[in-house]
Amino acid sequence: MKITNHHSAPKKIETRGLPHRLWMLSYGIAVMFLGSCSLLPAKTFDTQQGDIQAQKTTESNPVIVPPQIFSSSGDPNFVVKVVQQVGPAVVRIDSSRTITSRVPDEFNNDPFFRRFFGEGTPQPRQRVERGSGSGFIINSSGQIVTNAHVVDGADRVTVILKDGRTFDGKVLGEDPVTDVATIKINANNLPTLAVGNSDVLQPGEAVIAIGNPLGLNNTVTSGIISATGRSSSDIGASDKRVDYIQTDAAINPGNSGGPLLNARGQVIAMNTAIIRGAQGLGFAIPINTVQRIAQELISKGKVDHPYLGVQMVTLTPENKERIKKVAGDRLNITADDGVLVLDIVPRSPASVAGLRVGDVIKSINSQPVTKIEEVQKLVEKSKIGTNLPIEVERNGQTVQVGVQPAPLPVRREG
């Protein structure tokens, strides 16, 4: 897991890879980076989070039964009924932000430029960048969720309902780490979506996507869940902390923030990205994650994610051989599996605790780890400021280290 990507330390170990090109689906400001039915009755967004936690406590190994899509009506046109049921709760979100170009210092400081331009020294230029995405209403009093990259840095956010009404939106909070944001509009008695349970999704289940791709409002596509539990590193979005749902339902720029629905019309994920140049490879954030982040954004305006301050790689025979060629005798890697620490951010919790480049993490909080994704999940579940026991192998010896995670420093785009 790469906990941070904006530092480099003197002893950083270089590795090579071929990252995917992930296209976040906000039309107009697209940025290049690098299931479905609930076992419970439909819930509202406000009440289901507590029920999910209770279910996890009482059902450690729930029996997952695939839904019978046509069992209730036998109607093959079930998509039509879902769209009629939930369509009014899906919105279009237009955003704009002002970009100011900086005047190079030489124009202000160099006598030549001052003599050439005189009093007409170039002034900073401004341009307005516009984008469009999707979202869905989670509360009848006007709370909406979308992707953080849809509204990131926006000076103005406009929400357009399916019935044509337009509202100014206020961003309540955005979390770049999971790419979830919440918006509020001044309206009441709005339609909302029923919420499914993304913890029980299975590949092959039917799904429906609704959004505004390429400015084409209220576009409906359908497909299946292709896979669950796709890690951020699997799809080339290593700066995110999300296990994605993969779908072949057609999604395009402008679908960002729109709902992915099951055959019962329950939202089970938020559409967020595609791999550019591929077909049928779309990714969505599970609704259980969206709910958890959205509630924190609504209550606090931000989300604090635990942070260690390390860059790591899963130790495989191939990676081990590559690192030996690069590092030579500087590292003595005796372990054959685990997670190798490649770099440590100065003055980070990991640095303060005494973790070292070359350490191989074997367990966190007494839970064995062999992949960076496992480390990421355990760190994400830890508590900021509370001691987190980490067992590492260092020069053939087992060493216990206690790290106190700090809030993850987030650097925004733009």
Side-chain angles (χ1 to χ4, degrees), residues 40-41 43-44 47-58:
L40 303 175
K43 300 281 194 296
T44 65
T47 61
Q48 195 200 17
Q49 185 63 26
D51 293 336
I52 291 173
Q53 297 301 325
Q55 182 190 21
K56 288 180 179 178
T57 301
T58 58

Side-chain angles (χ1 to χ4, degrees), residues 24-26 133-135 146-147 149-150 252-258 271-273:
M24 306 317 245
L25 300 169
S26 174
S134 306
T146 186
N147 280 140
H149 72 263
V150 171
N252 292 281
N255 274 115
S256 269
N271 299 318
T272 188

Side-chain angles (χ1 to χ4, degrees), residues 22-45:
L22 199 67
W23 199 354
M24 306 317 245
L25 300 169
S26 174
Y27 174 58
I29 53 173
V31 181
M32 296 298 299
F33 288 95
L34 6 236
S36 156
C37 298
S38 173
L39 298 180
L40 303 175
K43 300 281 194 296
T44 65
F45 193 97

Side-chain angles (χ1 to χ4, degrees), residues 261-312:
L261 306 142
N262 63 21
R264 293 181 174 86
Q266 300 167 341
V267 57
I268 47 89
M270 176 193 291
N271 299 318
T272 188
I274 57 175
I275 293 180
R276 189 177 185 183
Q279 294 186 10
L281 291 178
F283 300 93
I285 304 169
I287 194 61
N288 291 2
T289 299
V290 174
Q291 283 185 291
R292 176 175 59 84
I293 299 299
Q295 294 299 346
E296 287 196 53
L297 292 175
I298 291 169
S299 61
K300 301 190 303 182
K302 65 175 184 176
V303 178
D304 288 327
H305 296 274
Y307 157 81
L308 300 185
V310 295
Q311 181 180 347
M312 297 173 283

Side-chain angles (χ1 to χ4, degrees), residues 203-226:
E205 295 185 33
V207 290
I208 303 159
I210 304 179
N212 308 291
L214 301 172
L216 300 172
N217 294 351
N218 311 120
T219 295
V220 179
T221 57
S222 65
I224 61 170
I225 292 176
S226 304

Side-chain angles (χ1 to χ4, degrees), residues 43-245:
K43 300 281 194 296
T44 65
F45 193 97
D46 293 328
T47 61
Q48 195 200 17
Q49 185 63 26
D51 293 336
I52 291 173
Q53 297 301 325
Q55 182 190 21
K56 288 180 179 178
T57 301
T58 58
E59 297 183 20
S60 57
N61 295 298
V63 177
I64 300 175
V65 180
Q68 296 181 2
I69 297 175
F70 310 123
S71 61
S72 59
S73 64
D75 183 3
N77 291 321
F78 69 96
V79 174
V80 176
K81 294 183 178 180
V82 168
V83 174
Q84 291 173 344
Q85 173 187 343
V86 307
V90 182
V91 303
R92 171 172 172 158
I93 300 173
D94 291 339
S95 63
S96 62
R97 62 176 178 174
T98 302
I99 307 297
T100 302
S101 59
R102 178 176 170 270
V103 177
D105 292 337
E106 55 262 27
F107 280 101
N108 297 318
N109 301 328
D110 193 302
F112 170 80
F113 286 106
R114 293 180 63 85
R115 183 169 62 253
F116 182 80
F117 286 101
E119 297 300 323
T121 301
Q123 299 299 310
R125 292 179 130 185
Q126 291 186 335
R127 61 184 175 86
V128 177
E129 194 175 62
R130 304 183 188 279
S132 182
S134 306
F136 51 95
I137 304 169
I138 60 173
N139 184 287
S140 60
S141 61
Q143 292 173 348
I144 296 166
V145 292
T146 186
N147 280 140
H149 72 263
V150 171
V151 297
D152 182 37
D155 303 315
R156 183 177 182 183
V157 174
T158 303
V159 177
I160 303 154
L161 306 188
K162 186 178 180 181
D163 61 16
R165 286 183 291 168
T166 300
F167 298 88
D168 288 331
K170 177 184 178 182
V171 178
L172 299 178
E174 51 184 298
D175 180 40
V177 178
T178 56
D179 203 11
V180 175
T182 53
I183 300 171
K184 178 72 169 64
I185 61 175
N186 291 324
N188 292 296
N189 301 316
L190 296 175
T192 61
L193 295 182
V195 179
N197 183 359
S198 55
D199 284 347
V200 296
L201 303 179
Q202 295 185 89
E205 295 185 33
V207 290
I208 303 159
I210 304 179
N212 308 291
L214 301 172
L216 300 172
N217 294 351
N218 311 120
T219 295
V220 179
T221 57
S222 65
I224 61 170
I225 292 176
S226 304
T228 60
R230 293 294 194 204
S231 70
S232 55
S233 59
D234 283 341
I235 69 171
S238 58
D239 60 328
K240 307 301 179 190
R241 291 191 181 182
V242 175
D243 279 346
Y244 294 90
I245 295 167

